[in-house]
Amino acid sequence: MRDRSARGRVEELRRLIRYHNDRYYRDDAPEISDAEYDALFRELQRLEEAHPDLSDPDSPTMRVGAEPVAAFGTVVRDVPMLSLQNAFSEEDLHEFDARVRRFLAGRAVPGDALDRSGYVAEVKIDGLAVELAYEGGRYTRGATRGDGIRGEDVTANLRTIPDVPLSVPRNPAEGGGPAPALLTARGEVYMEKRDLAALNRGRERAGEPVFANPRNAAAGSVRQLDPKVTASRRLKLWVYGAGRIEGARFSSHWEELSRLSGLGLPVNWNGSRRCRTIAEVVVFYREMGEVKESLPYEIDGVVVKVDDTALQRELGEISRSPRWAVAAKFSPDRAETTVEDIVVSVGRTGTVTPVALLSPVVVRGVTVRRATLHNQDMIDAKDIRVGDRVLVQRAGDVIPEVVESLSAAHDAPGRGSKFRMPDRCPICGAPVERVPGEAAHRCTGDGCVAKRKEALSHFVAKNAMDIEGMGTKIVSALVDQGLVTEPADLYRLERETLAAMERLGKKSADNLVRAIDRSRRIPFSRFLYALGIQHVGEHMAEVLARHFGSIGSLRNAPMEDLTKIREVGPEVARSLRDAFDAPERARALDRLLREVTPLPPTTPAGKGSGKTFLFTGTLSMPRARAAELVRREGGTVATGIRREVDFLVAGADAGGKLAKASAMGIPVLTEEEFLAMLGGKE
Ligand code: IVH
């Protein structure tokens, strides 16, 4: 953004945020959603960071909340109630962990200190932040957060909330130790969902404005000049920390919570978890995101705190927020954003898929920048165009998709033109054609670079050849530099060539060469899957590998033999034959087989796995039984003598087949040998 327009936007954002601050904090009547407010606030933060010359000590980013209402007395506290930095996604949580580590490293704190401390994760209750003070064990004062230092004195109102103990320990008979001389506890006053619903129903009947959310209801109920009104509302309290406890020093936040709880203050144990790592925090964040609807109270995220109090002190605070804590907000399952462009991506098998490039938006805790549009028909049906406002969703772990175009739904004026699949592949220029009978388009070019990159990335992937360290970026660079055009080329890469590449040092090059070498001997099924033959996924590769045992017998199998296998349909068989018969692909496979040795399946495949047996003469057991044994052990039974037959089992009075087999060099087994081979006497 140019500086002049940045200044204009910064001023506009400050005006907007101040306005909405007043609506939210002073009037308890917000006009925009929290997410919209957060977006404005973050935009301002970003602009101020990018343009330090525009900074202003009066900017809303420098302060929290609004002035206390004059009607209440003011409480000035010496330990300010801080606010929290926000996180909006799982990535942000990892970034928080990284930030904490960097900061501690800069303070020469040993690297494992944070690992030993871990985090405490707590649900973030949507309510009103308050502080309760106890002197000599008696409740003496209650205040709102206000601007952090100065809050409103709402002592009388908070006294009406049943969860607020009027003395601590609440019940001396239950223990909890002696009362501290001075204790300030901090927490959230909230209203359960059903109580809010009931309250709103009553207000609606009385023609009064309803509360938009539990926070407003709690705030509106606590900030009443008449405590009787507060008392009539069903307010509750969770305590999540102490301002100070005289004479006490805790080594961890968890311990602090335990002490507060022991004194009879309500701690939300069900909504709190001690986590060893940030990964465990992410799991908690995900879980809470999933169960939040079923909780009796509203939560809008998860608060994450470094557990060790010594580390907390070391980390300190920055612009009124502690460095040791963060509030990870939940994001919706669906979100609105803008389609910046529609591009096509060319897949491994040449399928050309339209993809929407989106203005980044967080959906279910993950930042989404691309979403598949599936195919031309789908785009037409939903009428999605560049520039449209769209609804994006992520369900489970699926790839993000565009649910609908809001611009189309609202018949927005001045929309872009309709998307049309390009006639030619954007990568190789070969014609793009619609696959007959399907919605998909495909690039007809053989040498398409994009196809090559995808095929190679698939080849090196973990569940294929598992060449560790060979990511998509390196593959792409190798292809671009003309170093690799087909899988066999990977095995001819020199350490020096790799070490000379950007981002790759000597050490990574060494590791990469070792990883490539390790993949030279690989189970046949993985090798087959790595070839990336259409319709041959991991399971199909396993089936084929077990059945044929070697690439030699598979590539020679005629259509009939292929389709005889129960799980192999004509489509798969056709695709296999196409892959093996195309001369250029056959030569590439030969080249690859000079580098790589696919290992025949062992366990759990059967003893006859991949082997073909032919019977002749009279056996002591019925032929059907013998054939069943072969199949049970993973083998195949042939009906006539062919090159692919691995063993001829000859019974009494064997005739012409025996002679032929001997002539062709096919090993001949007696019935005893056959049984011994496939697992003895049945
Ligand atoms: S800790 C320095 N823990 O979220 C620590 N806050 O900006 C400051 N909130 O209005 C707060 N649940 O009242 C903390 N388990 C929890 C919380 C929580 C809700 C509120 C808090 C404040 C906002 C944080």
Side-chain angles (χ1 to χ4, degrees):
M1 197 180 288
R2 297 241 318 283
D3 271 14
R4 278 223 10 236
S5 52
R7 178 180 299 277
R9 182 64 181 155
V10 162
E11 281 165 7
E12 182 182 8
L13 285 166
R14 285 178 185 158
R15 256 197 319 278
L16 277 168
I17 291 166
R18 282 196 191 102
Y19 173 84
H20 290 299
N21 271 350
D22 283 347
R23 298 291 83 69
Y24 186 90
Y25 289 107
R26 208 185 59 199
D27 306 343
D28 299 324
E31 291 172 5
I32 57 175
S33 72
D34 286 1
E36 284 165 320
Y37 177 87
D38 286 339
L40 293 176
F41 200 88
R42 263 187 305 158
E43 188 185 346
L44 180 58
Q45 272 180 326
R46 264 201 304 269
L47 279 173
E48 287 179 345
E49 265 165 39
H51 303 273
D53 52 310
L54 297 180
S55 82
D56 176 354
D58 273 345
S59 171
T61 55
M62 302 283 167
R63 10 178 297 118
V64 194
E67 312 282 331
V69 180
F72 293 103
T74 301
V75 170
V76 182
R77 47 176 75 86
D78 49 358
V79 185
M81 283 178 85
L82 300 175
S83 65
L84 293 174
Q85 296 275 11
N86 286 328
F88 296 91
S89 63
E90 293 175 10
E91 299 146 56
D92 287 359
L93 278 173
H94 286 287
E95 173 49 32
F96 164 69
D97 180 69
R99 216 161 49 224
V100 168
R101 284 175 194 281
R102 276 198 302 274
F103 187 86
L104 290 176
R107 293 299 202 96
V109 174
D112 63 345
L114 185 63
D115 300 318
R116 276 186 279 116
S117 153
Y119 295 103
V120 173
E122 300 159 5
V123 293
K124 184 168 183 297
I125 306 286
D126 188 19
L128 178 75
V130 298
E131 183 177 64
L132 309 166
Y134 293 84
E135 286 166 52
R138 303 202 63 78
Y139 171 68
T140 49
R141 209 177 55 206
T144 65
R145 187 174 74 177
D147 67 2
I149 309 252
R150 290 171 310 139
E152 292 152 332
D153 187 334
V154 287
T155 310
N157 294 351
L158 295 186
R159 194 193 290 280
T160 69
I161 301 174
D163 283 347
V164 173
L166 298 181
S167 57
V168 291
R170 185 170 200 141
N171 186 352
E174 278 175 20
L182 174 70
L183 158 73
T184 54
R186 291 166 177 189
E188 202 81 358
V189 169
Y190 67 98
M191 196 179 280
E192 289 197 350
K193 291 173 188 170
R194 53 164 189 200
D195 293 326
L196 171 62
L199 173 63
N200 273 342
R201 275 197 300 276
R203 288 176 72 86
E204 220 162 25
R205 271 198 301 274
E208 290 163 342
V210 298
F211 292 110
N213 55 47
R215 198 211 97 86
N216 299 335
S221 305
V222 168
R223 299 161 84 248
Q224 285 285 341
L225 289 174
D226 180 1
K228 282 211 252 348
V229 180
T230 310
S232 74
R233 308 268 166 90
R234 289 173 168 270
L235 293 170
K236 308 197 74 167
L237 171 77
W238 288 128
V239 159
Y240 52 68
R244 60 158 38 160
I245 302 183
E246 203 125 289
R249 212 170 163 84
F250 304 107
S251 60
S252 72
H253 176 64
W254 195 256
E255 201 185 301
E256 179 178 308
L257 288 179
S258 307
R259 174 74 174 133
L260 290 169
S261 177
L263 287 169
L265 288 152
V267 170
N268 187 2
W269 291 115
N270 285 332
S272 310
R273 189 179 296 170
R274 211 173 190 182
C275 301
R276 269 177 303 131
T277 61
I278 199 71
E280 287 182 26
V281 170
V282 167
V283 168
F284 182 76
Y285 172 63
R286 257 184 232 162
E287 281 177 20
M288 293 304 118
E290 277 159 23
V291 304
K292 76 184 235 275
E293 300 307 327
S294 62
L295 295 176
Y297 43 79
E298 202 82 56
I299 59 174
D300 58 355
V302 162
V303 179
V304 184
K305 306 169 182 178
V306 170
D307 195 20
D308 188 313
T309 45
L311 288 185
Q312 288 183 358
R313 280 193 295 278
E314 192 66 46
L315 285 154
E317 61 194 62
I318 181 170
S319 60
R320 296 206 182 185
S321 312
R323 279 199 196 82
W324 46 267
V326 73
K329 300 282 190 74
F330 293 132
S331 49
D333 294 345
R334 293 175 157 206
E336 211 184 296
T337 186
T338 306
V339 177
E340 290 178 350
D341 203 357
I342 298 179
V343 298
V344 294
S345 94
V346 184
R348 179 163 42 88
T349 56
T351 310
V352 181
T353 309
V355 176
L357 303 186
L358 307 165
S359 309
V361 61
V362 180
V363 187
R364 271 219 182 169
V366 172
T367 308
V368 174
R369 296 183 177 83
R370 296 163 69 91
T372 177
L373 296 173
H374 300 290
N375 53 52
Q376 178 77 58
D377 289 358
M378 189 75 97
I379 298 180
D380 291 343
K382 294 181 177 170
D383 190 16
I384 296 161
R385 308 187 194 182
V386 174
D388 277 6
R389 291 293 288 170
V390 290
L391 210 54
V392 183
Q393 82 171 1
R394 270 181 74 236
D397 279 336
V398 301
I399 312 158
E401 60 174 2
V402 174
V403 185
E404 70 162 317
S405 162
L406 301 167
S407 306
H410 301 139
D411 224 353
R415 295 174 64 209
S417 48
K418 280 190 190 282
F419 170 80
R420 251 199 71 221
M421 198 57 104
D423 300 334
R424 302 215 154 246
C425 171
I427 312 294
C428 72
V432 168
E433 284 172 5
R434 187 163 178 149
V435 183
E438 284 180 34
H441 281 72
R442 194 161 288 155
C443 164
T444 56
D446 275 337
C448 185
V449 182
K451 271 202 227 176
R452 267 192 202 150
K453 286 183 182 173
E454 287 239 7
L456 284 161
S457 297
H458 171 83
F459 182 82
V460 301
K462 183 146 192 61
N463 43 358
M465 301 299 280
D466 191 16
I467 303 184
E468 208 185 322
M470 177 74 81
T472 313
K473 286 212 178 96
I474 297 182
V475 165
S476 178
L478 288 168
V479 173
D480 289 341
Q481 292 172 35
L483 294 167
V484 171
T485 47
E486 60 180 62
D489 298 336
L490 293 169
Y491 296 90
R492 288 180 226 122
L493 286 169
E494 307 278 348
R495 194 185 81 110
E496 288 65 32
T497 317
L498 287 169
M501 286 178 63
E502 229 185 305
R503 285 191 302 266
L504 266 187
K506 276 213 174 69
K507 196 154 166 254
S508 325
D510 273 343
N511 290 339
L512 206 45
V513 169
R514 262 199 294 276
I516 292 171
D517 274 337
R518 266 200 307 273
S519 76
R520 285 178 189 271
R521 294 173 62 76
I522 183 124
F524 176 32
S525 59
R526 295 251 301 271
F527 176 80
L528 186 53
Y529 171 67
L531 293 181
I533 296 167
Q534 206 179 4
H535 303 305
V536 181
E538 282 178 273
H539 174 69
M540 185 52 72
E542 189 70 45
V543 168
L544 291 165
R546 278 191 195 198
H547 190 93
F548 289 98
S550 73
I551 184 75
S553 45
L554 172 62
R555 74 192 295 199
N556 286 325
M559 277 295 275
E560 313 83 79
D561 285 10
L562 291 168
T563 46
K564 255 187 228 142
I565 305 166
R566 196 158 46 84
E567 294 186 62
V568 178
E571 226 183 9
V572 178
R574 183 72 272 147
S575 166
L576 283 162
R577 283 290 12 126
D578 285 350
F580 293 133
D581 293 340
E584 182 43 41
R585 286 182 83 170
R587 280 193 291 274
L589 180 55
D590 288 337
R591 285 192 289 269
L592 180 59
L593 286 170
R594 265 177 239 136
E595 308 290 344
V596 176
T597 312
L599 306 172
T602 48
T603 47
K607 303 181 189 74
S609 174
K611 300 283 187 292
T612 302
F613 295 82
L614 178 67
F615 297 106
T616 186
T618 314
L619 304 180
S620 66
M621 63 165 99
R623 278 271 178 100
R625 277 270 281 294
E628 194 194 339
L629 183 59
V630 168
R631 278 192 287 270
R632 199 178 67 201
E633 293 301 326
T636 317
V637 179
T639 48
I641 194 132
R642 283 185 275 104
R643 235 170 358 112
E644 287 76 41
V645 172
D646 293 296
F647 302 103
L648 179 77
V649 183
D653 304 314
K657 279 184 192 164
L658 180 57
K660 235 179 175 170
S662 310
M664 287 168 73
I666 294 172
V668 178
L669 303 178
T670 63
E671 188 178 347
E672 286 75 21
E673 284 168 335
F674 163 71
L675 286 174
M677 185 173 190
L678 291 196
K681 303 270 174 223
E682 299 254 295

